[in-house]
């Protein structure tokens, strides 16, 4: 694995870009912010939707944060409260990262981060942060939609997300198993 020193060095940006380029991803790098951070934005498509993705490189703090935004904002009122309950129930079981909801506008996002102060960032760490974040948002996006628009309870929506119905066999699979 490629490793680069992260201490106040834009090498973290080069490492992330190298990873994204190796996967043929299209992305945009935003101008450096006043606090020294750099944001890379792109779109990732999962099985359930396409998601806006932001990689926030906090260069001075030796941190990389990955944010995956839901394409749907939760309407004000009871649905926002129910969605917040859903997200907290999901968060309680997650080993890495967490869901967040902005009560001002209903934005839902998944966040994962790594702090490498005094250490180094590897391409494996970059990949894990991006792919786990995207997979987690994609896995639970149907649950978010189910509580917001499908009138499911948070518990029902989580159960469906964790135990999707078995896929139907194709005609080829059926005939080859006989």
């Amino acid at each position: 694995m490629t490793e680069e020193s992260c201490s106040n060095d834009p090498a973290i940006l080069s490492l992330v870009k190298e990873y994204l380029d190796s996967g043929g991803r299209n992305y945009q790098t935003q101008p450096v912010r006043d606090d020294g951070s750099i944001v890379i934005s792109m779109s990732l498509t999962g099985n359930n939707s396409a998601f806006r993705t932001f990689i926030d490189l906090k260069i001075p703090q030796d941190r990389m944060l990955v944010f995956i935004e839901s394409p749907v904002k939760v309407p004000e009122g009871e649905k926002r409260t129910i969605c917040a309950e859903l997200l907290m129930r999901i968060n309680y079981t997650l080993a890495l990262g967490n869901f967040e909801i902005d009560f001002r506008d209903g934005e839902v996002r998944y966040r994962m981060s790594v702090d490498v102060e005094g250490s180094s960032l590897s391409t494996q760490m970059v990949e894990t942060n991006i792919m786990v974040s995207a997979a987690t948002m994609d896995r639970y996006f149907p649950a978010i939609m189910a509580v917001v628009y499908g009138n499911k309870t948070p518990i029902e929506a989580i159960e469906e997300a964790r135990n999707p119905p078995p896929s139907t066999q194709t005609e080829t699979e059926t005939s080859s198993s006989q």
Side-chain angles (χ1 to χ4, degrees):
M1 285 289 139
T2 303
E3 293 192 359
E4 297 290 336
S5 171
C6 187
S7 298
N8 295 326
D9 189 311
I12 186 174
L13 176 62
S14 297
L15 183 70
V16 171
K17 284 183 167 183
E18 179 184 308
Y19 168 75
L20 296 174
D21 289 341
S22 71
R25 302 214 186 274
N26 293 320
Y27 61 89
Q28 297 77 41
T29 304
Q30 309 302 319
V32 177
R33 294 179 175 173
D34 291 339
D35 66 358
S37 64
I38 299 170
V39 175
I40 296 172
S41 60
M42 64 183 171
S43 181
L44 293 176
T45 302
N47 293 324
N48 296 303
S49 190
F51 305 103
R52 287 182 29 174
T53 303
F54 300 94
I55 304 166
D56 189 352
L57 304 173
K58 305 284 189 194
I59 305 294
Q61 294 83 22
D62 293 336
R63 293 185 186 127
M64 179 183 74
L65 294 88
V66 175
F67 297 96
I68 309 287
E69 284 186 1
S70 165
V72 175
K73 291 193 178 195
V74 180
E76 280 188 84
E78 184 181 4
K79 291 295 185 180
R80 210 169 276 178
T81 303
I82 293 169
C83 188
E85 177 189 341
L86 168 76
L87 299 178
M88 292 304 100
R89 287 179 180 276
I90 294 168
N91 284 344
Y92 189 75
T93 65
L94 296 176
L96 300 170
N98 65 284
F99 280 96
E100 305 171 326
I101 185 168
D102 186 339
F103 274 92
R104 295 171 297 174
D105 65 4
E107 176 187 271
V108 173
R109 66 185 185 183
Y110 183 82
R111 174 177 57 172
M112 192 167 159
S113 60
V114 62
D115 183 331
V116 292
E117 184 175 7
S119 185
S120 57
L121 184 71
S122 69
T123 53
Q124 183 62 53
M125 293 163 77
V126 173
E127 179 178 30
T128 297
N129 271 257
I130 294 169
M131 300 314 291
V132 167
S133 297
T136 304
M137 175 60 91
D138 192 53
R139 178 180 187 186
Y140 289 106
F141 181 70
I144 295 166
M145 297 302 290
V147 298
V148 174
Y149 298 108
N151 295 316
K152 296 279 186 179
T153 68
I155 293 171
E156 291 169 335
I158 290 169
E159 183 65 26
E160 287 181 10
R162 291 187 180 147
N163 301 299
S167 61
T168 55
Q169 291 183 331
T170 65
E171 193 173 304
T172 307
E173 291 170 329
T174 306
S175 60
S176 66
S177 63
Q178 293 178 346

